[in-house]
Amino acid sequence: MATTGIRAGTGAGPGTWPAPGPTARLGGAPFAGFALSAALALVLALRAPTGLAVLGLAVFGLLHNVLELRYVAGRFAAVLAGPLLRLLLALVTGIVLCRLLPPSRLSQSAEILLAYGLLAAACRYGLRGRPWLLAAAGVGLVGAGSASLAFPAYHFVVLAHLHNVVPLLFLAEWSRRLARGRAAFLVLQSVWVLLVPALLLSGWLDGLLSQRPGGWTDRLAAVYTPPGWLTPQVGLRFLAVFAFLQTMHYVVWVWFLPRYAPEAAERFEARVPGLRGRRAWALGAGAGALLALLFAVDYAQGRSVYAALASYHAYLEFPVLLMLVLGLGEGPRSGADRVRTGRKEVKV
């Protein structure tokens, strides 16, 4: 159980970074939930990584897309608004079109350029008024973009794993509201995001790892392993890491944040009234059922469609995270933020 103190007027004004959010006190349930989920996900990733990766995507893929977009658009409404939001959506739509085209070096290069365009837009927005930092960020983006264009296979492997790691940053940002126990919460998250994958990649758990190469296992291992490192054993390790982190990724977006950050959903619903209440869940579940059917008929085609649709949630998070990591977007709070109109304790 968590006790959340809801204070009126905690939204951020235009151009400011959102306040930490309602004060929260976590009991033992979320700690136990993350620990048990990580233990179960690790067992399944070791014994059946291919099945876990495929079935998890079919069941929770589009649902978590919808719920993640709802959280990010609600929580960071002050940042994802106006001309910046329109520019980001235009760039991501371009990425969607690239992913719908037959795979080629040209479509991959176009997607990479658009992806770095997203980061450049975030830097320009967040670093306005700081020309030296903006110039340094530009140099860094040009260097990283050049490396990605030169080695696109590595770029997309890194992107696939990075997407499953970024919940750590969102959870760290969420934890600013904790009245106590923040250090313990962050340690727990770091264990499953960083320590467990490190153990898997080190080979220490190879004795427990299912040794069943061939078929879809080999295909997926090739997708999630850096090309220069691809051997049957290393490929299984990277596949297990992906299956584990993907599962925990779903735990964050489908269970934890919807339950323990309800104000983000409320703010999103104020922007998009058509998805109030259970409608977002119904949209995600319904679209997921259709995707699961497509997976059953033609997995390769289903994955291509999913990869295109998932671009919106996967790529929109990166500009937000870039500003979050760099501490950008901080500004003076609006008058409403400085006014407290009482405190209401709500248990969630």
Side-chain angles (χ1 to χ4, degrees):
M1 299 293 287
T3 302
T4 306
I6 305 297
R7 299 180 182 179
T10 57
T16 66
W17 197 251
T23 302
R25 293 177 177 84
L26 291 182
F31 288 90
F34 271 114
L36 291 174
S37 297
L40 179 59
L42 179 58
V43 170
L44 293 175
L46 287 168
R47 304 312 303 162
T50 304
L52 182 60
V54 172
L55 292 178
L57 182 64
V59 175
F60 294 108
L62 285 181
L63 175 61
H64 103 276
N65 275 216
V66 173
L67 297 179
E68 180 176 344
L69 280 171
R70 183 180 69 169
Y71 177 83
V72 172
R75 174 70 184 130
F76 305 102
V79 176
L80 294 176
L84 176 64
L85 177 60
R86 290 192 289 272
L87 174 59
L88 296 180
L89 287 176
L91 291 171
V92 177
T93 300
I95 291 173
V96 171
L97 295 177
C98 290
R99 290 191 169 188
L100 289 174
L101 294 173
S104 68
R105 185 64 180 261
L106 179 61
S107 63
Q108 288 182 337
S109 297
E111 178 176 342
I112 290 170
L113 289 172
L114 289 168
Y116 280 97
L118 285 168
L119 299 180
C123 288
R124 183 177 181 277
Y125 172 85
L127 289 173
R128 60 187 186 277
R130 305 183 221 180
W132 289 107
L133 285 177
L134 181 58
V139 171
L141 289 178
V142 169
S146 299
S148 293
L149 288 170
F151 304 99
Y154 286 88
H155 169 89
F156 289 106
V157 169
V158 171
L159 184 65
H161 289 287
L162 185 61
H163 176 63
N164 286 333
V165 171
V166 295
L168 178 61
L169 298 178
F170 282 112
L171 291 169
E173 194 279 331
W174 176 91
S175 71
R176 293 189 300 153
R177 68 186 63 190
L178 288 177
R180 62 174 180 268
R182 187 186 186 202
F185 180 81
L186 292 177
V187 167
L188 176 61
Q189 307 311 318
S190 298
V191 166
W192 70 259
V193 174
L194 303 175
L195 180 59
V196 172
L199 289 174
L200 286 167
L201 292 177
S202 71
W204 286 8
L205 301 179
D206 280 359
L208 302 174
L209 186 60
S210 176
Q211 306 292 325
R212 298 176 184 175
W216 277 108
T217 297
D218 286 350
R219 297 180 196 178
L220 291 179
V223 170
Y224 301 123
T225 306
W229 299 2
L230 184 58
T231 65
Q233 191 62 38
V234 174
L236 282 174
R237 293 175 189 170
F238 273 97
L239 177 57
V241 166
F242 179 82
F244 171 77
L245 287 178
Q246 176 183 260
T247 304
M248 294 303 297
H249 185 91
Y250 297 152
V251 170
V252 172
W253 294 113
V254 179
W255 167 62
F256 183 78
L257 287 175
R259 180 174 177 80
Y260 292 97
E263 79 288 342
E266 293 168 1
R267 188 170 296 174
F268 172 82
E269 290 167 0
R271 299 179 74 180
V272 188
L275 290 178
R276 283 180 177 169
R278 298 181 179 178
R279 294 175 186 174
W281 289 84
L283 173 63
L290 293 176
L291 180 67
L293 180 61
L294 181 56
F295 276 144
V297 175
D298 186 340
Y299 177 80
Q301 185 64 33
R303 184 161 185 81
S304 297
V305 171
Y306 175 81
L309 295 177
S311 299
Y312 285 102
H313 94 288
Y315 275 105
L316 278 177
E317 67 188 10
F318 287 114
V320 172
L321 287 173
L322 178 61
M323 290 185 280
L324 176 63
V325 169
L326 298 178
L328 309 179
E330 294 282 3
R333 286 171 139 193
S334 66
D337 294 334
R338 296 191 295 268
V339 177
R340 296 181 184 178
T341 59
R343 181 169 179 143
K344 180 181 179 183
E345 294 293 330
V346 179
K347 291 184 177 181
V348 293

